[in-house]
Amino acid sequence: MAPSSVRWYFNLSKWSPTYQELLLATACIQPEEKLRLGKFVFKKDFKSSLIGRLMMRKFVSESCGLNYAALRFSRQEKGRPGLETPEKVSFNVSHHGDYTVLAGELGDALLGVDVMKLEYTGGKPLSEFFRIMNRNFSTLEWRQIYAPKSPAEQLNMFCRLWALKESYTKAIGLGITMKLSEISFKISSPLTKERFTCDSKLFVDGEELTGWAFHEVLLDDFHCVAVATDRPVDEVQFKELDFSELVRNAEAFQLPDESYCLDYFKKAEKPC
């Protein structure tokens, strides 16, 4: 029996696709998805988005018992991917750093997930970056960011709060188009790799928002994940998928495109 709740992650740093793997993977996505992915300049962006599409297809087909090749995804309002058929299923994908992650639930649910790599590569001093980002965080959140003594600890708290904000705004379908300073998280416990942290509280316009659950965990020492849902679901541990498991029940519904795959191998891995 397929699980009603899933949490998956794929470590992109472990996967350098072979030519045959890429032929299969790109034959298992929709033509418009394939066209969009082909516009990516760097391999890393291409891979992270490709894995996200394959995760979505695997989750929906296995959880809903639907034919893999018959599934059709479309961009809904605000650009969020969704099913063209009215199946009662919720899912959300995020990618950053070395990971692509998916959170999925059977039934009607508001659900958002965000993964963040705990690093800053903006070039400006961290203090200047924080100044630029000032309007996106509440006074309470800035107190929590600046409370740690070291810049690395401050950055980790910044990334953690950002992941929480992203998970919630994605769950309600607004993304970061809303005024982020109006939503404020209060952190109570540190993140660990061993178990979920579930006691962070959300305040909207100063009032605590009840009826929501926020599950946070470290995938490794350098990546945190936040899941937001309006359903009282049990803590579902994140499971790592490798490529063979990801495509185990996949069905190609396009012909393999050799020239498309050869173009991938001509791309640079990531920006210098």
Side-chain angles (χ1 to χ4, degrees):
M1 183 176 179
S4 59
S5 303
V6 304
R7 306 289 184 265
W8 290 337
Y9 70 90
F10 188 100
N11 191 330
L12 301 162
S13 68
K14 295 181 180 179
W15 185 52
S16 295
T18 66
Y19 178 64
Q20 292 300 324
E21 287 175 338
L22 205 60
L23 281 176
L24 170 61
T26 56
C28 293
I29 59 175
Q30 294 167 208
E32 64 273 18
E33 296 171 335
K34 180 179 162 185
L35 180 63
R36 183 177 61 84
L37 265 60
K39 296 178 181 179
F40 284 119
V41 176
F42 300 108
K43 287 180 180 177
K44 186 174 183 180
D45 298 325
F46 183 102
K47 284 198 306 181
S48 59
S49 292
L50 173 61
I51 293 300
R53 307 309 293 188
L54 295 174
M55 278 182 161
M56 287 163 41
R57 193 167 290 277
K58 175 182 176 67
F59 167 66
V60 174
S61 64
E62 293 181 358
S63 297
C64 298
L66 299 175
N67 180 271
Y68 189 98
L71 294 177
R72 290 295 180 272
F73 295 93
S74 61
R75 292 279 173 176
Q76 299 177 332
E77 188 178 359
K78 306 294 184 182
R80 184 186 178 108
L83 276 174
E84 291 185 357
T85 53
E87 299 295 331
K88 291 187 176 181
V89 60
S90 303
F91 54 88
N92 197 226
V93 172
S94 176
H95 51 81
H96 192 240
D98 295 335
Y99 292 95
T100 295
V101 299
L102 175 140
E105 298 284 343
L106 276 180
D108 292 323
L110 296 180
L111 182 68
V113 64
D114 195 64
V115 59
M116 284 288 293
K117 187 171 185 180
L118 306 175
E119 69 172 1
Y120 171 63
T121 58
K124 299 178 183 293
L126 187 61
S127 58
E128 176 63 11
F129 173 66
F130 283 170
R131 186 191 67 78
I132 294 170
M133 296 296 291
N134 180 69
R135 63 187 178 88
N136 293 310
F137 292 83
S138 68
T139 301
L140 168 64
E141 289 172 325
W142 280 118
R143 284 203 300 264
Q144 295 174 99
I145 291 170
Y146 283 118
K149 293 182 179 180
S150 75
E153 291 172 323
Q154 292 176 1
L155 178 62
N156 288 356
M157 181 59 73
F158 176 95
C159 292
R160 179 180 177 180
L161 288 166
W162 188 265
L164 282 166
K165 285 174 179 281
E166 280 270 24
S167 68
Y168 172 69
T169 57
K170 289 171 72 177
I172 62 175
L174 294 180
I176 57 173
T177 58
M178 69 182 301
K179 190 175 181 181
L180 294 181
S181 61
E182 294 178 353
I183 60 173
S184 181
F185 282 90
K186 182 179 180 181
I187 303 298
S188 297
S189 302
L191 292 182
T192 72
K193 290 180 284 187
E194 290 73 31
R195 60 177 179 81
F196 276 100
T197 297
C198 304
D199 56 3
S200 295
K201 303 296 183 183
L202 172 61
F203 296 82
V204 179
D205 292 329
E207 297 291 329
E208 183 177 351
L209 188 67
T210 59
W212 281 81
F214 299 95
H215 297 165
E216 304 172 81
V217 73
L218 289 172
L219 294 180
D220 59 25
D221 291 336
F222 307 104
H223 295 80
C224 68
V225 178
V227 180
T229 178
D230 70 337
R231 273 176 44 170
V233 298
D234 294 332
E235 298 171 28
V236 183
Q237 297 300 315
F238 270 90
K239 175 186 176 182
E240 182 174 7
L241 301 182
D242 60 19
F243 183 76
S244 62
E245 186 169 6
L246 184 59
V247 298
R248 182 169 297 159
N249 298 314
E251 298 177 36
F253 54 94
Q254 295 190 73
L255 293 175
D257 191 333
E258 296 184 1
S259 62
Y260 182 88
C261 293
L262 289 173
D263 284 342
Y264 166 84
F265 290 103
K266 297 176 184 177
K267 300 176 187 286
E269 180 63 32
K270 58 183 179 180
C272 297

